[in-house]
Amino acid sequence: MHQLNPSTLTHAADDVARPAYDRARVRRGIVHLGVGAFHRAHQAVYTDACLAAGETDWGILGASLRSTTTRDCLAPQDALYTVAVRESDRQDLRVVGALMDVVAAPAQRAELLAAMADPATRIVSLTVSEKGYTADVATGDLIADHPGVVSDLARPDEPSTVLGFLAEALARRREAGTAPFTILSCDNLPDNGKTLRRALTQFAEARDAALGRFVADHVACPSTMVDRIVPATTDDDRAAVARALGLRDAWPVVTEPFSQWVVEDNFPAGRPGWDIGGAEFVPDVEPYERMKLRLLNGAHTAIALVSLLAGKPTVADAMDDATIAAFVDRLWSEVAPTIATSLDTGAYIERLRRRFRNTALDHRVSQIASDTSLKLPQRIVAPLRDLHAQGAPHGSLVFVLAAWMRCCLGRADAGTPIELNDPALAAWSGRPGDPDASTSDVVDAFLAFETVFPQDAVTRSLRAPLIGALDDIASKGVLGAALARLAGG
Ligand code: CS2
């Protein structure tokens, strides 16, 4: 079987959608940092629609900041790849051409910086996950003692962090009299544009006061809400895509039919007409972002933690369990009142139920559980604090925090080990390690973890309910404890 590339594309199965535009005429206008599956199933697809509609200025250079895998897989394919859209038994394939090339820093650091400094680049977009911002996710404050930040401030022309690359490229543009690029954060952070802007300004100021002012005065960081469920690609996916495509694709991406992108329209250097592909441009993203972070991502985190303890491997498996499904319903009904009333949360939740039950996606709960300590503040703790302030019920959110603590202790209900991929948790020195520690000691230790919990009276008020929930999970198992709570009203 041939490998997918521009010259073999004619051998692809007839029903596969493919770039109907001349890729040779497309110039690079976007550099994307963090060229993982999510970017390729989301922003690149919207950009592909613009290119198909005749735009030629917005080709994407994708960059991985650490791994070389995406570059190595996509280089022989001239950066072409397949998006497989799945629901029930249906799979629709589309070959996307918007990605022009992929580089992998640090080996190609000079090339990446040159592309970012090039006046043709007018947007730098990011999907680098919560930890890529080297900032406190709740406040946007730079983590000044982060080893990557310290090293990038000491050697600004050899950056390794996202902020280091952005600051160095902006410094070069400023020096050359080139207008700055717009920076578009596409990660699930609250106020992602503002959070990025705050951390970047602080980083630039620490590097050089004039650069700090330049960022503060001239760099636009619009906020966005991005949404599409994109599980990590597996070898089975590769094989299934190859069978249907008629070509080998080293790294296809698999996703659901649903896709949403709400973007704050603030692009002083210009932008593609992403609305052609279905994006919505609005003056204020905040209500959409809050609805998505709290209802979709919050439920995802809840499902992931409960399911790790209960031994359910995927989101669809979890939703098939009556107790977990009822627990998620309870969580949604508690959290919905914290969302602006102008949005139809009922319809949104109804659609989430369907999306989460998509059995054609192998969405592993372990994937969602990665970096949980950086996800809890905006997904669980923030709505909990809003509900607490209103005196409204928030027991399901407390239960999620107890389930997280139980997962951190390292054993599922069946006694099997749970390994969380969470570097911020691993780096935290206060993590309880004594197997004989009492529940109250365990809860006290976690409540002192400042990455997750603001150190104040609201956090202290969680102590007793958390001890109750954690004891309950230990004695009844997570599903038994959840069921008892659901029955208790
Ligand atoms: C998930 C998200 O892994 C996670 O934390 O909650 O990746 C989620 O699938 C996307 O935000 C959906 O748009």
Side-chain angles (χ1 to χ4, degrees), residues 38 130 188 226-230 256 292 296-298 300-301 355 363 367-370 375 379:
F38 183 74
E130 293 81 358
N188 291 316
V226 291
D227 189 7
R228 196 166 207 187
I229 293 174
V230 189
E256 60 176 340
K292 196 255 170 173
L296 188 156
N297 298 114
H300 256 174
T301 288
R355 293 172 66 194
H363 198 191
Q367 179 184 343
I368 299 170
S370 64
K375 295 174 175 174
R379 298 180 179 198

Side-chain angles (χ1 to χ4, degrees), residues 474-485:
S475 62
K476 301 190 181 95
V478 73
L479 296 184
L483 203 57
R485 277 173 162 64

